[in-house]
Amino acid sequence: MSQLSPDVHADLQTLLLGLAAPDNDIRTRAEDQLNKDWVATRPPILLMGLVEQLRDTKEPATRSFAAVLFRRIASKTRKTQSSVDPRELFLSLPAAQRDPIRETLLKCLQTETFANVRHKIGDAVAEIARQYSEDDALLNLSKSTDGAQRECAFRIFATTPGIIEKSHEATVGEVFVTGFKDPDVAVRISAMEAFASFFRAVNKKAQKKYFGVVGDVLNILPSLKDEGDGDNLTKALVALIELAEVAPTMFKPVFHDLVTFSVIIMQDKELGDQARQNALELMATFADYNPAMCKKEPSYTTNMVTQCLALMTEIGLDDDDAEEWNASEDLDVEESDLNHVAGEQCMDRLANKLGGPVILAPTFAWLPRMMQSLAWRDRHAALMAISAISEGCREMMEGELDKVLALVVPALRDAHPRVRWAGCNALGQMSTDFAGTMQQNYHNIVLTNIIPVLSNAEPRVQSHAAAALVNFCEEAEKSILEPYLDDLLSNLLQLLQSPKRFVQEQALSTIATIADSAETAFGKYYATLMPLLFNVLKEEQSKEYRLLRAKAMECATLIALAVGKERMGQDALDLVQVLGLIQSKIQDADDPQSQYLLHCWGRMCRVLGPDFIPYLPSVMPPLMELASAKADIQLLDNDEQIANFEHEEGWELVPLKGKVIGIKTSILEDKHMAIELIVIYAQQLEAAFEPYVTQIMENVSLPGLAFFFHDPVRVASAKSVPMLLNSYKKAHGERSEPMAKLWEATIDKVLEVLTPELAIDTLAEMYQCFYESVEVLGKDCLTPTHMASFIEAAKGTLEDYTIRVNKRKEDRLETEEGEEESEEVIFAIEDDQTLLSDMNKAFHMIFKCQGVSFLPSWQRLLPYYNSFITTEDSTQRQWALCIMDDVLEFCGDQSWNYETHIRQPIIAGMQDEVPANRQAACYGVGIAALKGGQAWSDFVIACLPMLFQVCQLPTARDDDHVFATENACASIAKILQTNSNKIPDVQAVVDAWINTLPVVNDEEAAPYAYMFLRQLIDQKNPGVLARANDVFVYIVQALEAETLQGGTGSLIVGAAKQLIQTTGIDAAGILSKMPPETQLAVQGFFS
């Protein structure tokens, strides 16, 4: 019986008809009526009316629409008098109104006979069921005698696993196991999907209680395979993938059988591509999340490599001679769902996760045979496999590149164009993955073989050869490329005459890359190329040629950067004029020339320097328009809207509190790029950019710091702030009134964004913005209020950091044997290390600029320093040690007030097993001697034995340890220089100190050590005179390493000459025994 009057139902039916009408005007009026007359004034009547429509209406389409509308309305948020925060509409109703609606909805679910409508009702139930986890209505539904209702129950559990989370694990386990054994295949699949969703929702400790059901889960699969049910097998494998991501060890007892079964699926083409790819994905997921388990299973790697290679041969099945492939000009065709791409991507993942020692042998057991195969698809697959594994197997393959190239290079002359294409692809990928080695050692093999491919008959092969050259040339030194430039450019110039536009575009990109790498050596070809580019830029061209012209702009401006303003002469100004003309004619929002132009202006600014200033009035308005763009945001509250936006290019969907927000990312990417260019202009033009600074700071950079819709915009804004401040300072002076006014408006905004947030890497950028801005303003630029605000922000950041660290510790305790930390965790740790590093730099800069005035604020964080400095975490110890070093360096004798917090950590730090911490501690001792005053003298002298121990470690000169060693050397010099009167046997210490030289890595430590050595030479110290040959060698080594430069270098060279004169050592003889490169580097100093 209806609880509502017939009039209400009549109105509601009219409303539903209006909302579903094809006419936009009718639908808009109905939406307006829905919001004003129903949602705003009588929501309980609306919701009850909709469920009664579900119950009583005979038309399935109307019932389906009513269910969708119910879900949409029930989840809308609104403010009520009884709650401060907005609540979902259904949950905001009193229980007396809510419960009858829910009861009726559940009855509709139980009685609905149409599957599609039942699913829609199930979605509506899931939306409101989160608040009813304490009752058993849905658990009972999963035991219904009606298979459709059982399926619906599991579908709801999958959507909202929280419904059953609070139930006893025995009850939950029984429900799922019963579902896994259900006679109805649809129920079994829904039960798998629900279990995967539930399993992911519970914590790791709770997950272990359900490991025992894995056998029942896997028993669902064989019958699906035997019946050839590829669709349901695909769904089942997706559920297994979700389980493998969170608990791969759950499958450990059955892993061998699961590998075998998955391989059978991959081989069975009758099951369909998606099922086969999902079986591959399941196996790859185990490699991603528990590589150790995969390595221990003997059948895993060989089978996986074999199946990947087999899938990779499933390419061009209806295009054996590649006629269609070569005729296509759409190079960006979507292929991610094809078998050969799935195989390639899986090989890449296996190589990165299992490594060369595991992957290379089974892979190269196949590749030579495949390269000799008469089937072009085998040869193509072999080459693509090399491309896929080279990054992950880099260390092992690098020593065998000559053998790998012996396989790849002949493919460039293969009869089949797709094999030649794959050969180019392999060389391009290897040029990136083995950057440096490929260019240095194999340039002749690569370039002499790939340049002829530019003359192939097939445009797609030509284009890909040119693209591979981009990879090779962007990592090549000028001296490597120079001998090949004639051949390279003559062939690329021929490609500019190609009838295929995509070939011309790629040729321009390749020429631009070569110009960038060849630098001034490119000047020889300037006169040939630049007129051609000017011709392209000046021609009136139709829309399809816009990208070509954009590439020509890019190429011309990169050549300009390579050859410089002097070589260009009048062309530089002419090019700017042409760019301005192109900009004035752009009308369409999607014109690719717009984005290219922005970068081109940036390059021309770098080329012209101050000569670019007259063009700023033309360049800045479009740049400011992009940089000032607001975010285009849409709140999506129904599935239809979400589905539409998912397929809309340039939009990103972000879940937020049960809703979905659509953000137009294309606008934000342009905004980000524009701000990056502002940074270039401010950096290059400095004071000349001042007219734009206040407008940009007010409208772009400072608002951009808090632009939470797009982190890259925030990062670019953070980079821009110190650059803009510097421009303004150069124009007005550091202590001027305009500078003070701008700083006052800026510093508060910068401090505001130092508050803790989820994006740790972005927060680190905010700290960098802060310390670079303080560095620009300099001495005493912060008030006590500013420093207090900074400390408050730092305190919050450290609290959040500590919570994250402790959470990771807890998670590690729950980690199963063989499970490796996920990439997400590894990146999170790296982000935290970067954050601590940038915080350290911020503390350093404040102490440098504020000195002792920072101490009252700073000491509020002493509990954190004391905690960090004794922790097992080496990063935290280093963080605390570096800050204590700053106290010693910038607070003079007042640092002694904190000696109880500093002494013991520095002593422990000098014995720390982590070299970076030893370095920080050794530096601290030296700075205490130099800056800390007499109060520290006894302490630093007592540290001498430990400093010598650091220098005498067996690993002292290894790459990882040498900076600690050289800091210890410099610190001993500082102690000898400042406290020699308190050392009992100074000469013995000096004699021992000489053995700690040379300092050839640390440019900060070297001047202290060698200036003290100079002092000893002046004093004719007997220890130095007795070791004159060694001392001279130590000086030569530092000069060659360039740790001694400028005025300091000149003084030390003078001291070396004095040593030669005083002792009569044979300097020329000593130098003649040193390596030729050393003699060449220092001959100018002693000629």
Side-chain angles (χ1 to χ4, degrees):
M1 182 177 173
S2 175
Q3 296 190 21
L4 305 177
S5 70
D7 290 345
V8 170
H9 273 295
D11 291 345
L12 191 54
Q13 285 170 355
T14 302
L15 176 68
L16 292 176
L17 287 171
L19 291 170
D23 186 287
N24 280 338
D25 291 338
I26 295 173
R27 205 165 56 246
T28 302
R29 286 197 297 271
E31 283 281 356
D32 191 52
Q33 186 186 358
L34 170 68
N35 292 321
K36 289 181 179 176
D37 297 347
W38 294 87
V39 176
T41 58
R42 43 181 176 168
I45 294 175
L46 172 62
L47 294 178
M48 180 56 84
L50 288 171
V51 295
E52 288 189 357
Q53 288 285 321
L54 279 172
R55 183 189 64 194
D56 301 332
T57 302
K58 292 181 180 179
E59 179 57 50
T62 304
R63 295 201 303 276
S64 177
F65 185 54
V68 171
L69 187 58
F70 178 93
R71 183 185 176 202
R72 174 184 155 194
I73 300 301
S75 62
K76 274 184 175 290
T77 55
R78 67 168 186 167
K79 286 189 176 180
T80 62
Q81 293 180 346
S82 59
S83 65
V84 178
D85 296 322
R87 298 186 67 197
E88 292 185 3
L89 191 147
F90 177 79
L91 301 178
S92 70
L93 299 178
Q97 294 176 345
R98 199 169 59 218
D99 292 347
I101 296 171
R102 174 181 165 275
E103 250 177 72
T104 308
L105 187 64
L106 285 171
K107 283 177 183 173
C108 293
L109 182 64
Q110 292 164 5
T111 57
E112 179 58 60
T113 56
F114 280 79
N116 182 52
V117 179
R118 188 169 53 248
H119 293 160
K120 294 285 194 299
I121 298 173
D123 292 341
V125 170
E127 190 67 47
I128 66 171
R130 286 168 291 163
Q131 299 300 313
Y132 288 93
S133 56
E134 72 281 352
D135 73 40
D136 298 328
L138 291 170
L139 287 175
N140 292 335
L141 192 67
S142 72
K143 302 171 187 175
S144 168
T145 55
D146 184 342
Q149 291 186 14
R150 297 195 300 275
E151 181 198 1
C152 202
F154 284 114
R155 283 174 62 91
I156 293 171
F157 294 155
T159 305
T160 318
I163 297 169
I164 51 173
E165 263 187 65
K166 295 175 185 174
S167 302
H168 191 275
E169 60 258 20
T171 305
V172 174
E174 181 187 348
V175 167
F176 280 122
V177 170
T178 303
F180 299 150
K181 297 177 179 178
D182 197 282
D184 189 329
V185 65
V187 178
R188 296 199 298 274
I189 296 300
S190 290
M192 280 188 77
E193 292 170 339
F195 179 69
S197 180
F198 164 78
F199 192 85
R200 291 170 72 92
V202 299
N203 62 42
K204 279 187 173 289
K205 190 173 182 180
Q207 285 173 356
K208 292 179 181 178
K209 298 173 183 176
Y210 299 96
F211 277 20
V213 306
V214 70
D216 294 309
V217 174
L218 295 180
N219 284 338
I220 297 171
L221 302 178
S223 62
L224 299 175
K225 188 261 172 195
D226 293 342
E227 294 163 12
D229 189 352
D231 290 342
N232 278 319
L233 188 57
T234 296
K235 294 176 184 176
L237 288 166
V238 169
L240 289 181
I241 290 164
E242 291 178 358
L243 292 171
E245 286 175 349
V246 291
T249 50
M250 178 168 72
F251 296 89
K252 194 172 183 179
V254 294
F255 191 54
H256 174 78
D257 294 337
L258 186 55
V259 172
T260 304
F261 182 77
S262 297
V263 169
I264 292 169
I265 297 174
M266 292 179 220
Q267 293 172 330
D268 191 342
K269 295 183 180 181
E270 297 300 318
L271 290 170
D273 289 348
Q274 196 57 62
R276 297 171 67 204
Q277 288 181 28
N278 282 8
L280 183 75
E281 177 62 28
L282 174 61
M283 290 294 101
T285 300
F286 285 108
D288 286 341
Y289 291 93
N290 196 325
M293 193 165 88
C294 298
K295 291 175 185 177
K296 289 176 184 175
E297 170 49 48
S299 66
Y300 179 86
T301 306
T302 302
N303 272 314
M304 282 295 287
V305 168
T306 302
Q307 295 313 311
C308 285
L309 291 172
L311 285 169
M312 289 165 67
T313 63
E314 296 182 22
I315 182 173
L317 300 179
D318 300 322
D319 187 28
D320 199 62
D321 59 1
E323 185 178 347
E324 288 181 23
W325 173 82
N326 196 49
S328 171
E329 296 192 20
D330 184 3
L331 306 189
D332 298 320
V333 62
E334 179 57 51
E335 292 188 333
S336 61
D337 59 343
L338 300 183
N339 287 347
H340 72 93
V341 176
E344 291 165 20
Q345 292 174 345
C346 188
M347 285 293 286
D348 175 59
R349 288 161 68 183
L350 293 174
N352 277 295
K353 285 298 179 180
L354 304 183
V358 175
I359 287 294
L360 280 180
T363 302
F364 276 87
W366 282 107
L367 296 192
R369 283 182 281 168
M370 293 176 75
M371 287 303 300
Q372 295 301 315
S373 171
L374 296 177
W376 71 264
R377 293 178 181 86
D378 290 347
R379 303 195 298 277
H380 183 280
L383 292 163
M384 296 306 290
I386 291 171
S387 300
I389 67 172
S390 60
E391 180 189 8
C393 301
R394 177 186 168 90
E395 287 186 19
M396 288 189 69
M397 285 178 69
E398 195 158 26
E400 306 289 336
L401 280 181
D402 49 347
K403 296 175 184 174
V404 179
L405 287 168
L407 279 178
V408 173
V409 168
L412 300 177
R413 298 182 291 276
D414 196 278
H416 199 282
R418 295 199 74 164
V419 176
R420 276 178 268 131
W421 185 98
C424 294
N425 195 77
L427 284 181
Q429 191 62 51
M430 290 167 67
S431 296
T432 297
D433 293 335
F434 305 105
T437 305
M438 279 281 284
Q439 287 78 2
Q440 191 68 39
N441 300 339
Y442 300 100
H443 55 86
N444 189 52
I445 294 173
V446 173
L447 292 176
T448 57
N449 283 282
I450 202 168
I451 289 173
V453 184
L454 296 171
S455 302
N456 275 199
E458 300 84 2
R460 291 194 67 171
V461 178
Q462 291 177 322
S463 173
H464 211 51
L469 282 167
V470 169
N471 292 38
F472 184 89
C473 294
E474 66 187 359
E475 300 292 346
E477 296 292 332
K478 178 175 77 168
S479 57
I480 295 290
L481 288 180
E482 207 160 349
Y484 304 96
L485 288 178
D486 284 349
D487 211 5
L488 273 169
L489 290 164
S490 62
N491 279 275
L492 289 166
L493 283 169
Q494 286 300 312
L495 293 190
L496 291 179
Q497 312 303 317
S498 169
K500 298 290 186 182
R501 195 168 63 253
F502 70 85
V503 175
Q504 297 174 25
E505 290 166 1
Q506 182 58 62
L508 286 171
S509 291
T510 307
I511 291 169
T513 302
I514 293 171
D516 197 32
S517 295
E519 297 173 339
T520 52
F522 200 84
K524 175 182 175 183
Y525 311 94
Y526 177 86
T528 303
L529 270 165
M530 195 57 88
L532 292 175
L533 296 172
F534 268 112
N535 287 340
V536 174
L537 294 176
K538 289 176 179 177
E539 283 179 9
E540 288 293 333
Q541 292 173 341
S542 53
K543 278 190 175 183
E544 62 265 27
Y545 287 93
R546 294 186 309 194
L547 182 59
L548 180 67
R549 185 150 55 169
K551 296 276 188 181
M553 284 190 277
E554 176 185 55
C555 188
T557 52
L558 280 168
I559 290 173
L561 267 180
V563 302
K565 181 170 66 172
E566 287 72 24
R567 174 66 183 83
M568 288 191 77
Q570 182 60 35
D571 281 353
L573 300 178
D574 290 346
L575 181 54
V576 172
Q577 297 283 356
V578 170
L579 295 177
L581 185 62
I582 294 170
Q583 179 171 286
S584 69
K585 293 184 178 180
I586 290 176
Q587 295 178 338
D588 298 337
D590 64 346
D591 192 331
Q593 294 177 115
S594 298
Q595 283 201 0
Y596 278 81
L597 260 172
L598 291 173
H599 289 292
C600 291
W601 287 128
R603 292 188 198 105
M604 293 312 296
C605 176
R606 289 160 63 188
V607 171
L608 293 173
D611 291 342
F612 187 75
I613 294 167
Y615 302 99
L616 281 177
S618 299
V619 171
M620 289 304 295
L623 188 65
M624 284 297 295
E625 185 178 348
L626 284 177
S628 307
K630 307 296 181 188
D632 187 350
I633 300 167
Q634 302 285 334
L635 178 62
L636 312 178
D637 55 8
N638 66 61
D639 292 341
E640 186 181 348
Q641 283 183 311
I642 292 169
N644 289 339
F645 274 89
E646 278 177 338
H647 297 102
E648 189 81 24
E649 191 175 345
W651 285 83
E652 180 181 350
L653 302 187
V654 180
L656 183 68
K657 296 182 179 178
K659 306 294 179 187
V660 175
I661 290 177
I663 302 173
K664 193 165 187 180
T665 53
S666 55
I667 291 175
L668 305 187
E669 286 159 6
D670 289 346
K671 181 181 179 77
H672 166 232
M673 178 183 63
I675 300 172
E676 285 191 321
L677 286 165
I678 284 170
V679 173
I680 291 174
Y681 291 146
Q683 189 176 34
Q684 295 293 320
L685 302 177
E686 293 190 319
F689 198 63
E690 183 272 343
Y692 303 94
V693 167
T694 53
Q695 181 192 0
I696 294 171
M697 195 74 92
E698 184 179 337
N699 297 328
V700 176
S701 296
L702 295 181
L705 295 176
F707 195 82
F708 293 100
F709 303 109
H710 197 61
D711 280 342
V713 166
R714 299 185 63 206
V715 171
S717 299
K719 301 283 188 195
S720 71
V721 168
M723 289 298 170
L724 293 169
L725 288 170
N726 185 60
S727 292
Y728 214 68
K729 183 178 83 169
K730 292 290 175 92
H732 292 281
E734 188 175 305
R735 301 299 172 192
S736 67
E737 187 177 334
M739 188 74 237
K741 188 176 178 182
L742 180 64
W743 177 238
E744 185 181 349
T746 302
I747 183 59
D748 289 336
K749 294 292 183 184
V750 173
L751 286 167
E752 280 175 18
V753 293
L754 299 184
T755 52
E757 59 172 87
L758 291 176
I760 306 305
D761 54 342
T762 305
L763 181 57
E765 295 283 355
M766 298 302 130
Y767 274 94
Q768 183 176 343
C769 171
F770 170 81
Y771 71 71
E772 288 182 352
S773 298
V774 171
E775 184 176 26
V776 171
L777 269 291
K779 197 76 173 166
D780 297 325
C781 64
L782 299 173
T783 66
T785 304
H786 292 151
M787 290 184 278
S789 296
F790 172 83
I791 289 296
E792 194 59 38
K795 184 171 177 287
T797 300
L798 292 173
E799 285 171 356
D800 270 26
Y801 166 80
T802 305
I803 291 169
R804 290 194 299 274
V805 169
N806 291 336
K807 176 70 167 58
R808 287 196 287 264
K809 281 182 183 175
E810 290 171 13
D811 290 345
R812 285 192 193 104
L813 295 175
E814 300 291 335
T815 301
E816 295 289 325
E817 181 189 354
E819 279 190 66
E820 293 190 357
E821 283 187 322
S822 66
E823 283 190 356
E824 185 182 352
V825 172
I826 293 169
F827 288 146
I829 292 170
E830 289 175 359
D831 285 344
D832 273 332
Q833 289 173 342
T834 303
L835 175 61
L836 286 186
S837 174
D838 281 316
M839 288 183 75
N840 247 338
K841 291 171 184 172
F843 279 101
H844 175 81
M845 191 53 60
I846 300 175
F847 271 121
K848 183 177 180 179
C849 293
Q850 302 296 138
V852 296
S853 69
F854 184 44
L855 288 173
S857 297
W858 169 81
Q859 63 190 17
R860 287 174 52 201
L861 295 184
L862 276 171
Y864 286 97
Y865 310 136
N866 295 336
S867 168
F868 279 27
I869 216 156
T870 56
T871 183
E872 295 177 2
D873 188 324
S874 62
T875 302
Q876 294 181 29
R877 296 199 302 275
Q878 183 185 9
W879 184 84
L881 279 167
C882 288
I883 289 177
M884 294 307 179
D885 288 351
D886 289 331
V887 174
L888 288 165
E889 184 168 0
F890 299 112
C891 298
D893 54 11
Q894 288 199 36
S895 62
W896 182 254
N897 296 335
Y898 304 94
E899 57 93 15
T900 55
H901 301 277
I902 297 175
R903 286 164 59 102
Q904 191 53 45
I906 282 187
I907 291 170
M910 285 188 286
Q911 301 165 72
D912 200 304
E913 61 184 16
V914 177
N917 294 353
R918 288 203 304 279
Q919 178 184 345
C922 291
Y923 178 82
V925 174
I927 214 69
L930 204 62
K931 302 284 184 72
Q934 282 302 304
W936 286 100
S937 59
D938 290 341
F939 170 73
V940 299
I941 290 168
C943 288
L944 282 169
M946 282 175 281
L947 291 170
F948 278 111
Q949 285 172 15
V950 170
C951 298
Q952 292 160 4
L953 289 170
T955 56
R957 293 290 169 181
D958 290 358
D959 288 346
D960 289 341
H961 298 260
V962 70
F963 281 90
T965 303
E966 293 185 349
N967 270 269
C969 166
S971 290
I972 296 168
K974 292 169 188 174
I975 295 169
L976 285 165
Q977 195 170 20
T978 56
N979 288 277
S980 59
N981 59 325
K982 291 191 175 182
I983 299 172
D985 188 350
V986 176
Q987 190 58 52
V989 177
V990 168
D991 292 346
W993 173 76
I994 293 170
N995 291 327
T996 69
L997 292 166
V999 178
V1000 292
N1001 292 277
D1002 195 316
E1003 293 178 7
E1004 291 185 20
Y1008 287 108
Y1010 283 92
M1011 287 302 284
F1012 178 63
L1013 181 63
R1014 173 177 176 260
Q1015 181 181 322
L1016 295 175
I1017 292 171
D1018 283 347
Q1019 295 169 350
K1020 296 183 173 55
N1021 183 279
V1024 171
L1025 299 182
R1027 301 274 306 281
N1029 281 8
D1030 293 336
V1031 169
F1032 179 72
V1033 169
Y1034 296 151
I1035 291 172
V1036 167
Q1037 288 172 327
L1039 291 169
E1040 182 193 12
E1042 296 183 349
T1043 52
L1044 295 175
Q1045 295 184 27
T1048 303
S1050 300
L1051 290 171
I1052 303 306
V1053 168
K1057 290 176 178 177
Q1058 182 182 336
L1059 180 69
I1060 295 167
Q1061 187 176 357
T1062 302
T1063 60
I1065 60 172
D1066 180 10
I1070 295 170
L1071 284 173
S1072 68
K1073 295 175 183 176
M1074 300 181 86
E1077 58 269 22
T1078 303
Q1079 296 179 45
L1080 186 65
V1082 301
Q1083 65 183 9
F1085 294 113
F1086 299 104
S1087 56

